[in-house]
Amino acid sequence: MDIEIATIGGYEEVGRQMTAVRAGDDIVIFDMGLNLSKVLIHDNIQTEGMHSLDLIDMGAIPDDRIMSDLDGDVAAIVPTHGHLDHIGAISKLAHRYDAPVVGTPFTIELVKDQVDDEQKFGFDNDLVKMSAGATMPIGDEGCELEFVNVTHSIIQAINPVLHTPEGAIIYGLDKRMDHTPVIGDPIDMDRFREIGREGVLCYIEDCTNANKKGRTPSENVAREHLRDTLYSMEDYDGGIVATTFASHIARVKSMIEFSRDIGRTPILLGRSMEKYSGTAKRMGVDFPDVEMVGYRRSIDQTLERIMNEGKENFLPVVTGHQGEPRALLTRMARGETPYDLDAGDKVVFSARVIPEPTNEGQRYQAEKLLGMQGARVYDDIHVSGHLCREGHYTMLDALQPEHLIPAHQNMSGFSGYVDLASDRGYKLGRDLHVTNNGNIIDLV
Ligand SMILES: [Zn+2]
């Protein structure tokens, strides 16, 4: 059976992921993501009404025109998890393919939200929910799609595996190796080892942290760090405000729990806080009951209520961990909300600054503004969602793949992975395929 892999997006950047695998007459697409930084750099761009080709020209979504070079029919579009750099282009590209979108239940709910907002294109692809551990047949030449449970900074992440007569093709984006996640099951290393013994033709790897030594800690480590930080504030009788990634359901859950432990009522504030946590709650994820407020006018009314009832009784969990100019924390820092920050009030960033000049500048500005009001900043209470080098070593050991394709980075970001793979006996151009966006690798 012919096997080809088209590396469409996310091979020159972290963002706009998209990869297609052709096995005989059948094609499976993994991820259709958005590169948000290419959108945010322009002021006030609303992508909902934009045409795909304009977004491709901006570098915001994958250039999928290379798909016409693959001789087969798309059987499934498979987003690995609900981050925008993996699902954000589905509303712009999926309608071109007569194929279902197959993902875990939480991911599919987020895809639904996203295609509901779309204004330019209709969307009538079937949405199919499949949980980790399950499989589905692909085409009629004996291929099968399997979801292996992995752990990442969003719940219900999986690594899809396409089983072909020539061996397994594993799409390894995005994950860390977490044996004590706060929500959900640990990474299924037993299954990866089993697939490794059966034979892996190709492994596509998440190289986000390939240049970092050591091991990425468990979410449980960030949880303990957060517990220590919030417990240290138990006797403080002023304002405490916390922020994190709205999509990071496990972290938001920890915030809610520790807030209550120190005698404060948590309230989730901001449109994306309400969207992600509300979806998790509706889907029966192990998530506490909590007040959530999404719209600006209601948010301001809630902040007014907090001030009236005494801000020492509350812990607002807000959007704005990257200092985004329109997010709630930044508005609070600018004094544009009814919430008054006083000298000594605490602001907890349970997030890392995404290392990108726009983010760094905005976050710097937000912290300066908070400081000017006298607020004290606690930052970097976080662990990464991506494997570091020893995780990559362990995955190679478990899978023993014939071919490797580094992904989810740019050329310099791949270098640590190329070193590691070369040490393990892989050879550039033979079985280690460093590539760009828009290439097709002929495997069999
Ligand atoms: Zn991700």
Side-chain angles (χ1 to χ4, degrees):
M1 178 183 274
D2 287 352
I3 310 270
E4 286 183 317
I5 298 187
T7 57
I8 302 167
Y11 292 83
E12 297 172 19
E13 67 265 289
V14 177
R16 61 165 179 167
Q17 308 304 318
M18 181 168 168
T19 300
V21 177
R22 178 176 78 84
D25 293 329
D26 299 302
I27 299 171
V28 176
I29 294 174
F30 298 118
D31 289 332
M32 275 185 179
L34 177 71
N35 188 350
L36 201 58
S37 63
K38 296 283 190 207
V39 177
L40 294 177
I41 200 100
H42 307 277
D43 271 347
N44 290 319
I45 276 210
Q46 296 291 332
T47 56
E48 291 87 346
M50 284 182 71
H51 199 279
S52 321
L53 290 176
D54 296 323
L55 287 162
I56 288 173
D57 284 344
M58 280 168 65
I61 64 172
D63 187 350
D64 70 339
R65 286 171 289 187
I66 192 181
M67 287 295 292
S68 57
D69 296 342
L70 290 180
D71 190 16
D73 291 320
V74 177
I77 298 166
V78 181
T80 50
H81 61 286
H83 283 152
L84 276 180
D85 55 332
H86 297 256
I87 66 167
I90 289 178
S91 56
K92 298 294 177 187
L93 299 177
H95 67 96
R96 304 188 201 197
Y97 307 100
D98 181 19
V101 177
V102 185
T104 57
F106 185 68
T107 305
I108 290 294
E109 286 301 313
L110 296 178
V111 169
K112 245 186 232 169
D113 277 355
Q114 208 231 349
V115 298
D116 283 349
D117 289 341
E118 173 64 26
Q119 293 155 10
K120 187 86 190 165
F121 300 106
F123 180 90
D124 58 5
N125 304 59
D126 285 339
L127 293 172
V128 177
K129 291 179 178 176
M130 183 162 110
S131 296
T135 61
M136 70 182 281
I138 294 288
D140 47 17
E141 294 176 274
C143 291
E144 187 179 58
L145 177 69
E146 175 184 0
F147 282 1
V148 178
N149 189 61
V150 299
T151 40
H152 186 40
S153 43
I154 189 166
I155 55 173
Q156 294 189 15
I158 50 93
N159 276 177
V161 180
L162 184 64
H163 295 281
T164 78
E166 309 290 337
I169 294 155
I170 306 178
Y171 182 75
L173 280 50
D174 292 352
K175 65 175 170 294
R176 70 168 163 237
M177 224 168 264
D178 198 334
H179 303 285
T180 52
V182 170
I183 297 177
D185 291 326
I187 185 169
D188 193 351
M189 289 307 293
D190 287 346
R191 183 59 191 141
F192 278 129
R193 280 189 211 98
E194 209 169 58
I195 296 171
R197 284 192 294 272
E198 290 161 10
V200 176
L201 175 64
C202 183
Y203 181 47
I204 300 158
E205 179 60 302
D206 164 11
C207 289
T208 313
N209 286 342
N211 286 334
K212 290 191 181 143
K213 289 195 288 186
R215 167 185 152 74
T216 310
S218 164
E219 177 61 21
N220 207 33
V221 172
R223 180 175 162 90
E224 287 311 310
H225 190 183
L226 185 64
R227 187 202 302 269
D228 174 64
T229 306
L230 290 181
Y231 280 23
S232 78
M233 300 169 183
E234 186 161 14
D235 296 329
Y236 183 63
D237 61 0
I240 305 175
V241 178
T243 183
T244 189
F245 300 88
S247 60
H248 203 322
I249 304 299
R251 194 71 55 76
V252 175
K253 172 184 151 110
S254 296
M255 276 181 180
I256 293 167
E257 290 172 354
F258 301 144
S259 166
R260 289 185 173 137
D261 288 352
I262 62 169
R264 288 174 183 251
T265 304
I267 304 182
L268 309 188
L269 296 167
R271 205 156 62 100
S272 55
M273 279 291 164
E274 188 194 36
K275 173 181 142 178
Y276 288 100
S277 291
T279 302
K281 188 73 205 162
R282 272 198 308 283
M283 300 200 59
V285 170
D286 171 25
F287 191 81
D289 284 317
V290 67
E291 185 180 346
M292 304 178 197
V293 186
Y295 288 98
R296 184 186 283 210
R297 187 175 310 158
S298 321
I299 288 171
D300 284 356
Q301 283 165 357
T302 307
L303 291 174
E304 221 167 279
R305 192 181 94 217
I306 290 174
M307 291 305 290
N308 289 335
E309 294 179 16
K311 62 181 178 178
E312 68 281 7
N313 301 312
F314 294 91
L315 198 150
V317 177
V318 303
T319 52
H321 55 90
Q322 299 295 312
E324 303 90 328
R326 283 187 287 265
L328 180 54
L329 184 62
T330 315
R331 290 207 296 126
M332 291 166 98
R334 285 197 299 258
E336 291 173 6
T337 75
Y339 190 97
D340 295 323
L341 284 161
D342 294 308
D345 281 357
K346 323 290 184 199
V347 178
V348 177
F349 285 88
S350 194
R352 186 181 66 113
V353 188
I354 295 165
E356 212 240 17
T358 315
N359 285 308
E360 283 162 349
Q362 287 175 352
R363 172 67 180 267
Y364 173 84
Q365 204 171 7
E367 279 189 40
K368 277 283 171 215
L369 287 165
L370 290 165
M372 282 156 66
Q373 313 234 27
R376 311 305 305 168
V377 168
Y378 296 68
D379 67 354
D380 276 340
I381 302 167
H382 190 58
V383 296
S384 169
H386 304 271
L387 295 172
C388 290
R389 196 160 314 156
E390 295 317 307
H392 290 308
Y393 182 95
T394 306
M395 284 310 298
L396 280 182
D397 212 43
L399 297 175
Q400 308 280 339
E402 279 178 54
H403 293 270
L404 280 178
I405 306 177
H408 213 265
Q409 260 298 359
N410 56 22
M411 237 5 114
S412 59
F414 291 148
S415 60
Y417 196 76
V418 171
D419 285 345
L420 171 70
S422 304
D423 284 349
R424 303 293 296 161
Y426 291 89
K427 206 165 169 330
L428 264 177
R430 185 186 67 195
D431 44 20
L432 172 57
H433 308 273
V434 174
T435 183
N436 281 136
N437 295 338
N439 287 327
I440 294 179
I441 298 164
D442 194 357
L443 279 188
V444 177

